[in-house]
Amino acid sequence: MPVQTVVIKSRDEIALMREAGRLNAEVRAILREAIRPGLTGRELDVLAKAEIARRGAECTFVGYGPGGRPPYPGAICFSVNDELVHGIPGDRPLREGDIVSVDLGVTYRGWVSDAAFTCGVGEVSPEAQELMRVTEASLWAGIEQAQVGKYLGDVSATIGSYGERAGYGIIQEYGGHGVGHEMHEPPHIPNFGRPGVGHRLKAGMVVALEPMFALGKPATEEMADHWTVRMRDGKLSAHFEETIAITDEGPEVLTRIR
Ligand code: MF3
Ligand code: CO
């Protein structure tokens, strides 16, 4: 294994990443507005590609394919109900009561931003609503922990405590990560853990935090398309993600929708 060093960004570099993050937020807000019964992933993907191009930016996810996987075809991941992450946008229309995770990568002048939300389609069950509420709350609580001098374990443990308290399945195989010129940089950031362990947080670290919780058991499986990850037990899952910069002034959420 090569030594994985966390890349520290300068203030100037963070200023550039802020631009990539702002564009990601603008496009995500447009995508969120478009969610309704009848919409297909493919339609939303076409919209995402157009809005990214209009801003002179690139689709981070298009063509992505590490480790001999088929290149990813979409600008977004579109993961419905028991699909956890990496759902390929397709032709199945959303139905009232579904919940859908939309994940978006935007590259601008060589800098990546990575963020996701889950939302309901029309009216959804109270259980689905609560799952989304708790998953998002864990993200913002995790962000609050991303302070210079704290540890990665503080972030992970805080996120995990939300899932644990609610009795949700806490997904083990996927988590957050560093972001920069590459979408996935070290360190890997689990959504569970112990306070006070792992990397000491430094000013200039830029990371994507992405809690994923499920109403059932945490076990996942990859589908035959080599991308879509779903819950083995077929129960609902939720996923929220923001790209943040850790600064001496505190965490700065680069992808925040305003
Ligand atoms: N946001 C996802 C992650 O952090 C990346 C999507 S994978 C891709 O893992 F293939 F769609 F690019
Ligand atoms: Co990510």
Side-chain angles (χ1 to χ4, degrees), residues 158-214:
T158 296
I159 290 173
S161 71
Y162 276 69
E164 217 160 278
R165 250 182 289 143
Y168 293 151
I170 299 169
I171 282 72
Q172 308 285 301
E173 301 95 319
Y174 304 90
H177 49 88
V179 191
H181 284 310
E182 301 292 330
M183 170 164 64
H184 292 142
E185 294 184 357
H188 173 70
I189 308 174
N191 290 314
F192 55 88
R194 275 191 302 128
V197 303
H199 284 274
R200 186 107 186 235
L201 302 180
K202 292 200 187 86
M205 286 176 69
V206 179
V207 296
L209 303 182
E210 48 182 319
M212 293 162 232
F213 297 146

Side-chain angles (χ1 to χ4, degrees), residues 60-61 64 72 77 86 103 114 175 177 183-184 210 227 241:
T60 314
F61 296 175
Y64 182 74
Y72 191 77
C77 301
H86 304 168
D103 195 337
D114 184 13
H177 49 88
M183 170 164 64
H184 292 142
E210 48 182 319
W227 281 107
E241 178 176 24

